[in-house]
Amino acid sequence: MKNIFVLVKQVPDTETKIIPKADGSYVEVTNIKWIMNPYDEFAVEQSLLIKTAFPECNVTVVRVGTVSDNECLRTAMAMGADDAILVESEGLIDSFTTAKAIKGAIEKSGRTPDLILSGKQAIDDDALQVPQLLAGLMNLPSVSVVVGFEVAGNVVKLKREVEGGSIEIYELNAPLVVACNKGLNTPRYASLPGIMKAKKKPLAQYKLSDVGVSASDTKVKYHGFQLPPEKPAGKKFDAMDDAKAGAIVKDVVGLLRNEAKVI
Amino acid sequence: MAKILIVSELNQSSLPKSVTIEILGKCKGHQIDVAFVGAGPSEAGSKMLAEYGAQNILVLKSDKLSSYSCEGYSAAVKEVAKSGGYHYIFTGATAAGKDYFPRLSAELQTGLASDVTNFTWEGDKFFGTRPFFAGKCLAKVEMQGSGPHLISIRPNALGMPTEKAAAAGAGKVSDTAVNVSEVKALVKSIIKAASSKVDLTEANVIVSGGRAMKNAENFKILDELADVIGATVGASRAAVDSGFAPHAMQVGQTGKTVSPSLYIACGISGSIQHLAGMRTSKVIVAVNTDPEAPIFTRADYGIVGDLFKIVPILTKEFKALLGK
Ligand SMILES: Cc1cc2nc3c(=O)[nH]c(=O)nc-3n(C[C@H](O)[C@H](O)[C@H](O)COP(=O)(O)OP(=O)(O)OC[C@H]3O[C@@H](n4cnc5c(N)ncnc54)[C@H](O)[C@@H]3O)c2cc1C
């Protein structure tokens, strides 16, 4: 294990009230609190756990996004990553473009990856595409939704969560791409000395064109952002009085059958 | 008329998963083939596909396809995608679909619109809608460049077609040998979950418990209700973080996004992150002691009451209604 790359994305905090832009091209992104995509925290933490076991390992965090705020790369380096790469992009780009940009950035670093880690999903576009797409572009195997991770030499043992909470067990050789799920580990907080050190760690910066991406790589176009239709107000019944609860619940069950027709 | 391939999966009774039928219903009038990887459907299954308009039913075969793998499935579908000349390839956004369709996108060098919740056709051109920010907003999706374009559809989102195809498809089943080279990430073994219930993301009815459940033991009353109405049990993050339920059961922005016909929230306040994961449910019932709980602003039917009293009555009334 020598080179680990961790993909991180900066996303609006989960509390954010999402407001579509007037022209529907995306959502308003001014005055938003940005956070590291929560699933990416598990990926960063996993890379650092591996680095503890393989001290010669170099951890590079990679982000594709707008430059205005680079907080999440600094956070990852404050947690312990060694260096960072930013590929600057403007506005909303699709998963194919993102994956191709990451591939280009990794190649530009001159280091051959042993492991590429990411979160299983980014909570802004919820596309669940980039890690597996990147693996396809780089001709590497990938395992997604990973909740268990062991490394022994060059062999990686993984647990992947599937339908109904069943677990698939994988055992394969590096290099590979792993997309991490909640439950894998407990991400650490950056320490104060870590934050100070992070300021001096190297951050390479590229444009999309530097990493071989062009407009023709856009395969999916998103537009017409709008709020979902508001539901009309529902019916509310007060069943705090035990004497009435029976009759009220019976009514609701009747409504579910005859009015809502879902049972 | 567009040429469409729907890659399907089998349910426990060897019938196509219902999302396949949902997609077939929405693609009426186009030329549609259905493919299965590894093993095909039962006779009843292929008859059903034909009734909803499927022409050819391809069963993709290779000795490397006896169990699921991202690389194997992607390689298999890639082969028929090319030889079949399809304009669009659909699948359900299931655990497998979410995993290998992005790889297929890389291998075919075409785009994937993932987790689409609705779509329309203008002639042969697909216009999709998909949620962003866990459903806090919706966006339109359009495919760029040449196909085959890939689309994954969220189960239960389109709804079942109300009628069968005007003219049934041929529904001709044939094995198709595909070339799958080395698979590096192969499932070595599976630890089966205790529950054999449908996964939350595909469930048609869900009963969820929140912090108010107080402990894991109390989830038993939700299990009892769920058994009567054929539901899968979910949980809020507060319930998961308190150790009442495993993370696989979490509904919300950092859990599973669900869209059942009926969602019953018990002792869940309705935080923005929880609502994000279940707001597309068709009908929402909330049981909460606090009449001001935000969940009531989303509920079609709100019951202000103590879940420990209300849930057992619900179970009893549903039993009576369903004659169980
Ligand atoms: C980054 C981030 C991601 C998150 N992701 C998720 C997510 O994916 N999913 C999620 O659910 N949350 C998520 N959360 C947490 C979320 O903010 C809430 O804390 C959580 O949803 C609250 O769960 P709850 O409704 O069960 O608990 P509470 O908010 O504590 O609500 C309990 C409710 O039960 C009611 N109650 C109490 N006793 C009874 C009784 N006897 N009968 C009936 N009702 C009763 C109360 O009135 C109250 O409304 C996330 C938070 C963050 C910061």
Side-chain angles (χ1 to χ4, degrees), chain A residues 14 39 124-127 129 140 144 163-164 166-167 169 219 221 223 226 231 235-237 239 259, chain B residues 99 103 112 114 130 133-134 136 138 140 142 144 188-189 191 193 199 202 254 273 291 300-302 304:
Chain A
T14 55
Y39 293 108
D124 52 359
D125 62 20
D126 293 316
Q129 293 193 32
L140 296 174
S144 60
E163 264 109 10
S166 291
I167 301 286
I169 313 259
K219 310 281 185 195
K221 216 176 110 198
H223 61 100
Q226 60 177 68
K231 271 190 154 181
K235 296 180 178 156
K236 199 154 101 181
F237 305 89
E259 186 178 77
Chain B
D99 190 43
R103 187 178 187 94
L112 163 61
S114 49
R130 71 180 299 279
F133 301 97
K136 287 182 201 165
L138 301 174
K140 303 250 179 290
E142 267 175 64
Q144 308 288 298
K188 274 195 67 180
S189 57
I191 308 171
D199 191 61
E202 293 178 51
T254 53
Q273 296 96 347
D300 298 279
Y301 302 102
V304 182

Side-chain angles (χ1 to χ4, degrees), chain B residues 210-211 236-237 250-251 253-254 269 271 273-274 288 306-307:
Chain B
R211 194 196 308 274
S236 73
R237 168 154 157 192
Q250 183 177 319
V251 173
Q253 195 166 5
T254 53
S269 61
S271 66
Q273 296 96 347
H274 190 82
N288 199 305
D306 180 348
L307 76 93

Side-chain angles (χ1 to χ4, degrees), chain B residues 113-296:
Chain B
S114 49
D115 219 14
V116 167
T117 50
N118 202 359
F119 63 88
T120 54
W121 296 98
E122 274 173 31
D124 286 359
K125 202 162 159 21
F126 161 94
F127 291 90
T129 304
R130 71 180 299 279
F132 268 66
F133 301 97
K136 287 182 201 165
C137 74
L138 301 174
K140 303 250 179 290
V141 218
E142 267 175 64
M143 314 308 291
Q144 308 288 298
S146 58
H149 306 296
L150 306 176
I151 297 145
S152 69
I153 298 290
R154 179 182 296 181
N156 292 331
L158 302 176
M160 287 300 245
T162 45
E163 51 192 49
K164 294 175 178 165
K172 194 169 144 277
V173 185
S174 59
D175 284 0
T176 305
V178 286
N179 235 324
V180 178
S181 53
E182 192 198 4
V183 174
K184 292 184 193 126
L186 203 61
V187 182
K188 274 195 67 180
S189 57
I190 296 181
I191 308 171
K192 278 262 169 243
S195 152
S196 59
K197 292 237 171 77
V198 190
D199 191 61
L200 278 172
T201 54
E202 293 178 51
N204 197 33
V205 184
I206 294 174
V207 180
S208 275
R211 194 196 308 274
M213 296 307 296
K214 293 204 186 86
N215 56 47
E217 177 70 9
N218 286 336
F219 266 77
K220 212 172 61 199
I221 63 168
L222 302 188
D223 290 334
E224 283 161 6
L225 171 57
D227 283 343
V228 173
I229 54 178
T232 301
V233 178
S236 73
R237 168 154 157 192
V240 170
D241 286 355
S242 311
F244 309 163
H247 179 249
M249 277 168 65
Q250 183 177 319
V251 173
Q253 195 166 5
T254 53
K256 294 200 163 129
T257 309
V258 300
S259 48
S261 300
L262 174 61
Y263 189 92
I264 306 180
C266 306
I268 293 177
S269 61
S271 66
I272 189 166
Q273 296 96 347
H274 190 82
L275 292 174
M278 44 65 82
R279 63 186 299 157
T280 54
S281 305
K282 262 152 229 124
V283 174
I284 298 171
V285 175
V287 181
N288 199 305
T289 43
D290 174 8
E292 302 302 323
I295 188 82
F296 285 127

Side-chain angles (χ1 to χ4, degrees), chain A residues 64 70 91 109 133 140 149 175 227 233 250:
Chain A
V64 182
N70 245 326
S109 76
L133 238 166
L140 296 174
F149 206 125
L227 293 176
K250 194 178 164 96

Side-chain angles (χ1 to χ4, degrees), chain B residues 62-87:
Chain B
S62 150
D63 56 353
K64 300 233 171 54
L65 296 174
S66 54
S67 69
Y68 173 74
S69 74
C70 182
E71 294 153 87
Y73 272 46
S74 171
V77 178
K78 181 186 171 186
E79 226 182 271
V80 284
K82 285 193 162 163
S83 60
Y86 297 104
H87 302 117

